[in-house]
Amino acid sequence: MGAGRRALITTAVTVVCAVTVLAAPGIAFASPSPTPTPSSSSTATASPTPVTNKDLEAVRTKLDDLYHDAAVATDAYNAAEEQAQKQSAQIVELAKKIVKGQEKLDELKDRAGAAARSQYRTGGLPDEAQLILSDNPQAFLDGAGRILQGQRATKGLIAELTRTQQDLKQYTADASTQWQQLEKNRQAKAAAKKEITARIAAAEKLESQLEKQEKERLAKLEQQAALKAQTAWLDSGVLKEISGKASAGGKAAVAYATAQLGKPYEWGAEGPKSYDCSGLTSQAWASAGDPIPRTSQEQWKQLPHVDVKDMRPGDLIIYFDDASHVAMYIGDGAIIHAPRPGRTVTIAGAGSMPILGVVRPDA
């Protein structure tokens, strides 16, 4: 290992912090001054400085922050994508209504025009005047009935024309509103995508600074941190209180999730080849016949909450204060989840991350 490895790792963490700040829109910074290159004499005399566990712990913490930020942005991306799909469908339906409304309006105008042409052919006299001039009593009586019917029909035609024109106006206004919202969601998707790629790129850059042995030590530190959190969770005695049995839907959802083990994490993915965290849980429950919201934040907001002690296999555990991660409980204190970029769908301890709460899709 070359001299200054510890300094290099410390610098890498600092640089990545700066890179993530620079990724924020609308902020400009001056280029940093180049790092002085050590002289050949100092290089020759310096002894290798080992990268300590404290240094690697700083790397681990920073990586956790970066991937957490990427998860938050992924949720925002997925939410914008879901809304964009709904708005596109609504625009299509409104377009169909506008076409039908225009066809109906054309038909009503034709009917109104036919009535006007008929009046012109009778000399321009209204039906009432023609009736008064008639010298046939029976024709007078028959005509009176027809006049009343005609008046009602005319009023109905005018009312229908008015309603159709108002409907078309409303459909057009609604379509315009949906288009504007669709454009906002497209912009939100683009911003979220930029955020995701910046965070993941920063994490990958930081990890690339490590040698193979350091990456292995980092992986052990990550495992130790997860084990420590899981052990603390189990030591609380919570597992003794959890005895719920899976529902039929829960069993089906767990079976689906289990079949995805080993597939890669990919942000925004809903299978079948790759998943993000909420893509896995939403597809698992969709396969069980209970569609649920697409994002972990909406799953937390919309699905019924249950106490941790009451959870059963198939329930979803929401993690972190901002509900940025979700996993499926499978029993015995374990979960299946899609962790983060660079990882695969895997089984982990339910208490290995900070639990926000539990939701039940088939409550």
Side-chain angles (χ1 to χ4, degrees):
M1 184 184 298
R5 285 289 298 147
R6 181 178 179 183
L8 177 61
I9 298 303
T10 303
T11 302
V13 174
T14 305
V15 169
V16 168
C17 290
V19 168
T20 56
V21 172
L22 285 168
I27 302 176
F29 292 90
S31 299
S33 302
T35 303
T37 304
S39 63
S40 57
S41 59
S42 62
T43 302
T45 58
S47 59
T49 305
V51 177
T52 67
N53 281 356
K54 183 178 180 180
D55 299 324
L56 289 177
E57 185 62 28
V59 172
R60 186 188 71 80
T61 301
K62 187 56 191 174
L63 287 173
D64 285 347
D65 290 342
L66 289 169
Y67 284 123
H68 173 265
D69 291 345
V72 173
T74 297
D75 233 27
Y77 177 92
N78 290 335
E81 171 67 15
E82 187 176 34
Q83 285 301 313
Q85 290 176 355
K86 289 180 181 178
Q87 283 149 4
S88 295
Q90 289 171 348
I91 289 171
V92 169
E93 290 303 312
L94 286 168
K96 291 178 181 178
K97 289 181 178 180
I98 290 172
V99 170
K100 289 182 179 179
Q102 189 60 56
E103 291 174 350
K104 183 178 180 180
L105 186 62
D106 292 342
E107 179 190 351
L108 292 171
K109 287 181 178 179
D110 286 344
R111 286 168 56 189
R117 289 191 295 273
S118 175
Q119 184 174 336
Y120 176 78
R121 286 194 297 271
T122 60
L125 292 174
D127 290 339
E128 294 89 339
Q130 295 182 46
L131 181 61
I132 292 172
L133 294 174
S134 174
D135 57 1
N136 186 325
Q138 186 60 46
F140 182 91
L141 293 174
D142 293 343
R146 287 196 299 273
I147 287 173
L148 291 174
Q149 292 177 354
Q151 288 176 338
R152 286 194 292 267
T154 300
K155 289 180 179 178
L157 178 61
I158 293 173
E160 196 170 2
L161 267 168
T162 302
R163 283 196 305 271
T164 302
Q165 288 173 328
Q166 291 174 342
D167 288 345
L168 276 172
K169 185 177 179 180
Q170 186 62 52
Y171 294 154
T172 303
D174 290 345
S176 177
T177 299
Q178 290 297 333
W179 272 114
Q180 292 173 3
Q181 192 59 46
L182 180 61
E183 182 57 29
K184 287 182 181 178
N185 279 313
R186 284 174 175 165
Q187 292 174 0
K189 278 177 56 181
K193 182 177 180 179
K194 183 178 180 180
E195 179 80 3
I196 295 164
T197 53
R199 293 299 184 264
I200 293 176
E204 291 174 345
K205 180 178 179 65
L206 180 54
E207 289 182 292
S208 70
Q209 304 295 324
L210 302 175
E211 300 287 353
K212 180 180 178 181
Q213 291 182 346
E214 293 163 353
K215 290 179 180 179
E216 291 173 351
R217 287 168 56 199
L218 177 63
K220 288 182 180 179
L221 285 175
E222 292 174 346
Q223 292 171 1
Q224 289 171 4
L227 179 60
K228 182 180 179 180
Q230 174 71 354
T231 301
W233 185 69
L234 293 176
D235 287 347
S236 70
V238 65
L239 199 57
K240 296 177 181 178
E241 300 179 354
I242 301 173
S243 59
K245 294 184 178 180
S247 63
K251 289 179 181 178
V254 169
Y256 180 95
T258 303
Q260 313 313 311
L261 286 170
K263 293 185 177 181
Y265 177 102
E266 181 182 358
W267 64 267
E270 300 177 82
K273 294 182 178 180
S274 57
Y275 297 87
D276 62 21
C277 67
S278 57
L280 177 64
T281 55
S282 61
Q283 287 301 306
W285 272 102
S287 73
D290 283 291
I292 62 174
R294 168 65 177 87
T295 70
S296 59
Q297 292 178 344
E298 288 304 311
Q299 289 170 9
W300 174 243
K301 288 179 184 178
Q302 297 185 34
L303 298 178
H305 293 197
V306 297
D307 289 338
V308 172
K309 64 182 179 61
D310 296 326
M311 69 180 175
R312 64 193 188 194
D315 287 347
L316 306 181
I317 303 181
I318 310 297
Y319 292 96
F320 304 107
D321 290 341
D322 53 7
S324 57
H325 191 69
V326 61
M328 180 176 293
Y329 184 64
I330 59 174
D332 297 326
I335 56 170
I336 287 180
H337 70 145
R340 65 169 175 79
R343 303 291 172 82
T344 61
V345 176
T346 188
I347 294 175
S352 58
M353 296 170 285
I355 295 176
L356 176 61
V358 179
V359 295
R360 179 164 294 162
D362 62 342

